[in-house]
Amino acid sequence: MLRSLHIKNYALIEELHMNFDAGFSVITGETGAGKSIILGAINLLLGQRADVKSIRRGEKKCVIEAVFDISKYNMKSYFKENELEYDDECILRREVQSSGKSRAFINDSPSSVSQIRELGEQLIDIHSQHQNLLLNKEGFQLNVLDIIAGNEQILSEYVQVYTEWKALEKSLKKLTDLAEQSKADEDYIRFQLEQFAEANLKVGEKELLIQESETLEHAEDIKSSLYKLTQIFESDEVGLLALLKEGLLELNNLQNIYPEAEELAQRMESAVIELKDIAQEIADKSENVVYNPERLQEVENRLNIIYSLEQKHRVQSVEELMALEEDFVTRLNDITSYDERIEELTNQCAVAFDKAKSKAAQLSNSRKIAAIKIEKDLSSRLLPLGMPNVRFQIEIKQRETLSVHGEDSVSFLFSANKNGVLQNITSVASGGEIARVMLSIKAMIAGAVKLPTIIFDEIDTGVSGEIADRMADMMVEMGGLDRQVISITHLPQIAAKGSSHFKVYKLDNEEETISNIKKLNKEERIEEIANMLSGATLTDAALSNAKSLLGYK
């Protein structure tokens, strides 16, 4: 439960510190004194979006810190799962700087805003006036049913199988859409593959064809050049080989009289042999080079096929074309396997749906049992709150399709009059009646869920007199059994029932207005409640009535 709250430099608050006790506490103060500011600071602490405008004018940052006693609420597992240091005394702190930067801390360890929000939801339930609108929200109504029914485990199991079913359903739709699109492309893919099959591409083929085309186009020039080279080498009179042989003979003749000619002769003989081989190879190549217009046409036709495919598919090489062909083959294989995969996924979807449907039915049965209990309990709580003819009924219908909440569609039906027709509660209930219904629902929930702290922000709107007194009794009851209820109120009947009473007030100086709060002692409390009864003029009668409300003699 909330032990203390410290606020510094938030809105009109310079610095204040509040210590709270278990049971039922009240906060009062004139309109505009700053009660909503304190509630805003608590909401900021619990993860509400930070706004630099909330920082007190002229300051660099605001700080909100709260200390909670969590020793009796079995929360060690949460801290372990989130790798947080556990202590029976939990400290939450939020800082907002004028630069817009926001920081959150749990037990002095930096944490994310989402983390502090998640923990805060387990520590404090803040019920403000706008939350009365939740009464018409199906999600809230289902949540009430599930809390009273103790459906936490069943609901968790249902959400798991429902999520699995929806994921499979999404995958099936995606695969079906892909199959339909692919089947529309099947003829196109098969046509492309037929063209690739006809082309029968080979790695490195284009480069070889380009070279062969060049050779065939210039066959006559090549043959002529090779013939001239042959003549240079092998002419009988002035051929290079004949001259070299003559030179070699001269060197051989010199060897007897000029020994140094031997090495030169050996070298020239090697050159003659090499050049003879070159001459022979040139002669052979000359014979092989033939102008062949038919082959040239074949090569050009083949290159045209390759160039056409490259241009069509916007690639630069045969290798890229072959990779594209493999991709088409893969896509075609996928298309032919879609039916089998769709059938398998459809079966998985059906199994998952049956599981979700079974869990939804289990959840629905539990809710129907809880609905009877809630109808009876809520009616009994509303009777003493000025609704002697109240009728309350929970209508549960089956949805056409499953939702994340199950198969149930829920409506809270209400009538405050003896002969009234049961209708949707927010359509027929007044603001005061809705406030009493919400208080009764919160009281039921508090009995089912051990929430440490509940804060009511003017839940008494639209009620007064004896009804307010009964509502106060209900909040006192909720504040028992190690729970803590704090009510921000304008009604003296409710304020008088608090075991602790805080007053919010404003102080003006030459420069600014400051909001503050203090815990009232006996005399101050009598005077505050007397003011709530009589207004600005404090009368003896009001003081006497205040003492009577407080049970003082």
Side-chain angles (χ1 to χ4, degrees):
M1 65 182 65
L2 180 62
R3 285 301 186 196
S4 66
L5 176 67
H6 184 81
I7 304 172
K8 184 175 182 179
N9 297 328
Y10 179 82
L12 298 180
I13 297 172
E14 181 179 16
E15 187 166 12
L16 64 80
H17 187 85
M18 304 168 65
N19 292 317
F20 295 94
D21 298 316
F24 180 46
S25 300
V26 294
I27 299 175
T28 62
E30 295 180 1
T31 300
K35 300 187 295 299
S36 61
I37 293 176
I38 293 174
L39 199 60
I42 295 175
N43 279 317
L44 179 63
L45 174 69
L46 300 180
Q48 191 178 70
R49 184 177 179 181
D51 186 349
V52 295
K53 294 179 181 178
S54 62
I55 301 174
R56 184 166 168 263
R57 189 176 62 182
E59 299 296 334
K60 294 183 178 179
K61 71 175 181 179
C62 68
V63 180
I64 299 96
E65 182 175 283
V67 179
F68 296 86
D69 180 357
I70 59 173
S71 58
K72 300 179 181 179
Y73 298 103
N74 300 320
M75 300 185 71
K76 289 183 180 180
S77 59
Y78 173 85
F79 283 79
K80 185 176 181 180
E81 289 170 5
N82 288 275
E83 298 181 350
L84 294 169
E85 182 179 347
Y86 175 82
D87 194 286
D88 288 344
E89 186 177 81
C90 176
I91 303 173
L92 303 186
R93 186 169 79 255
R94 185 90 185 272
E95 299 177 359
V96 180
Q97 300 179 359
S98 57
S99 63
K101 185 178 180 181
S102 169
R103 297 196 300 169
F105 300 86
I106 299 175
N107 290 339
D108 290 327
S109 296
S111 68
S112 65
V113 173
S114 60
Q115 201 171 44
I116 204 170
R117 184 186 299 118
E118 183 181 359
L119 178 57
E121 288 174 352
Q122 300 180 55
L123 298 175
I124 296 183
D125 175 23
I126 299 178
H127 183 92
S128 57
Q129 290 185 53
H130 78 272
Q131 276 196 312
N132 289 337
L133 300 175
L134 291 174
L135 197 54
N136 194 37
K137 302 295 184 183
E138 188 173 44
F140 174 79
Q141 296 172 350
L142 283 167
N143 191 41
V144 171
L145 280 170
D146 289 330
I147 288 173
I148 301 303
N151 281 342
E152 183 178 357
Q153 181 64 32
I154 301 175
L155 186 59
S156 175
E157 292 172 359
Y158 168 76
V159 170
Q160 181 178 346
V161 294
Y162 172 82
T163 303
E164 291 172 357
W165 167 59
K166 293 302 288 184
L168 286 168
E169 192 177 55
K170 183 179 179 180
S171 297
L172 178 59
K173 186 179 185 309
K174 183 178 179 181
L175 184 61
T176 302
D177 291 344
L178 186 60
E180 290 178 358
Q181 178 62 41
S182 297
K183 285 185 181 297
D185 296 338
E186 184 176 0
D187 290 342
Y188 168 79
I189 293 172
R190 289 190 182 279
F191 174 73
Q192 302 307 318
L193 286 174
E194 286 175 4
Q195 283 195 325
F196 278 118
E198 290 175 3
N200 191 24
L201 300 170
K202 297 179 179 62
V203 176
E205 178 183 15
K206 185 173 78 169
E207 291 73 15
L208 293 174
L209 288 171
I210 291 172
Q211 183 59 56
E212 185 178 359
S213 174
E214 288 290 322
T215 301
L216 289 169
E217 284 182 0
H218 300 89
E220 292 184 355
D221 294 336
I222 295 170
K223 193 173 184 67
S224 175
S225 295
L226 291 175
Y227 177 77
K228 288 179 181 179
L229 285 170
T230 301
Q231 293 303 309
I232 290 171
F233 275 102
E234 297 183 350
S235 174
D236 293 336
E237 297 180 0
V238 293
L240 181 59
L241 289 176
L243 292 173
L244 286 173
K245 287 178 181 179
E246 185 178 343
L248 181 60
L249 182 61
E250 290 295 327
L251 284 173
N252 286 330
N253 292 333
L254 282 173
Q255 289 182 35
N256 294 327
I257 60 174
Y258 185 57
E260 293 179 4
E262 183 179 357
E263 181 183 354
L264 294 173
Q266 291 175 353
R267 289 170 62 190
M268 182 171 284
E269 185 176 5
S270 296
V272 169
I273 293 171
E274 178 66 20
L275 289 173
K276 189 175 181 180
D277 287 343
I278 292 172
Q280 184 60 50
E281 191 169 342
I282 290 173
D284 292 342
K285 288 185 180 297
S286 178
E287 292 294 326
N288 293 333
V289 174
V290 178
Y291 175 64
N292 188 341
E294 290 81 8
R295 177 55 186 166
L296 178 60
Q297 188 63 49
E298 289 177 4
V299 170
E300 289 179 346
N301 289 342
R302 183 64 177 165
L303 282 171
N304 285 337
I305 291 172
I306 294 173
Y307 289 144
S308 177
L309 286 173
E310 287 179 344
Q311 185 177 14
K312 177 180 179 179
H313 296 288
R314 298 181 180 179
V315 297
Q316 301 296 321
S317 67
V318 170
E319 287 73 21
E320 289 177 282
L321 284 173
M322 295 177 74
L324 188 59
E325 181 182 11
E326 290 181 8
D327 181 61
F328 279 129
V329 170
T330 301
R331 289 173 62 184
L332 186 61
N333 289 337
D334 286 342
I335 291 172
T336 56
S337 68
Y338 276 142
D339 290 342
E340 181 180 340
R341 291 160 61 192
I342 287 173
E343 182 180 1
E344 181 182 353
L345 203 52
T346 300
N347 292 334
Q348 291 177 8
C349 267
V351 172
F353 175 77
D354 289 342
K355 288 181 180 179
K357 188 73 175 173
S358 176
K359 280 294 177 185
Q362 187 179 353
L363 193 59
S364 183
N365 289 335
S366 179
R367 287 169 175 168
K368 289 172 182 175
I369 295 170
I372 297 171
K373 181 178 183 298
I374 293 171
E375 290 170 354
K376 183 179 179 181
D377 194 353
L378 197 61
S379 296
S380 67
R381 289 179 182 274
L382 290 172
L383 285 173
L385 295 180
M387 298 185 190
N389 299 312
V390 67
R391 285 185 296 149
F392 180 82
Q393 182 179 318
I394 298 177
E395 182 180 67
I396 301 177
K397 295 181 179 179
Q398 186 172 348
R399 291 176 174 274
E400 292 183 2
T401 58
L402 295 180
S403 77
V404 71
H405 301 294
E407 65 179 3
D408 299 318
S409 174
V410 177
S411 295
F412 282 6
L413 305 180
F414 175 85
S415 174
N417 304 314
K418 186 178 292 185
N419 298 321
V421 178
L422 285 168
Q423 297 183 56
N424 191 292
I425 189 167
T426 55
S427 301
V428 295
S430 66
E433 288 169 341
I434 288 177
R436 281 173 271 176
V437 171
M438 284 298 288
L439 178 60
S440 299
I441 289 174
K442 291 282 184 176
M444 281 193 305
I445 292 174
V449 180
K450 206 172 182 64
L451 189 69
T453 300
I454 303 173
I455 299 178
F456 290 108
D457 180 22
E458 299 184 4
I459 196 172
D460 47 40
T461 300
V463 300
S464 59
E466 184 181 355
I467 305 305
D469 193 63
R470 298 287 177 82
M471 291 177 72
D473 288 337
M474 191 175 291
M475 285 187 272
V476 170
E477 179 188 349
M478 292 170 64
L481 301 175
D482 292 324
R483 279 191 294 268
Q484 182 182 52
V485 176
I486 301 170
S487 177
I488 299 173
T489 181
H490 285 293
L491 298 181
Q493 295 90 340
I494 291 178
K497 293 292 178 74
S499 57
S500 298
H501 189 156
F502 297 87
K503 180 181 178 179
V504 180
Y505 60 95
K506 289 195 296 188
L507 294 174
D508 294 326
N509 58 36
E510 295 180 356
E511 298 179 353
E512 61 183 344
T513 298
I514 298 174
S515 286
N516 213 327
I517 192 169
K518 65 177 179 178
K519 187 174 184 179
L520 303 181
N521 59 32
K522 179 179 178 180
E523 288 72 22
E524 290 170 334
R525 194 171 185 192
I526 293 171
E527 186 174 327
E528 172 68 6
I529 291 179
N531 281 326
M532 295 173 74
L533 287 166
S534 64
T537 304
L538 194 60
T539 64
D540 291 338
L543 288 169
S544 177
N545 286 337
K547 289 179 181 180
S548 178
L549 282 174
L550 289 165
Y552 298 154
K553 295 182 180 179

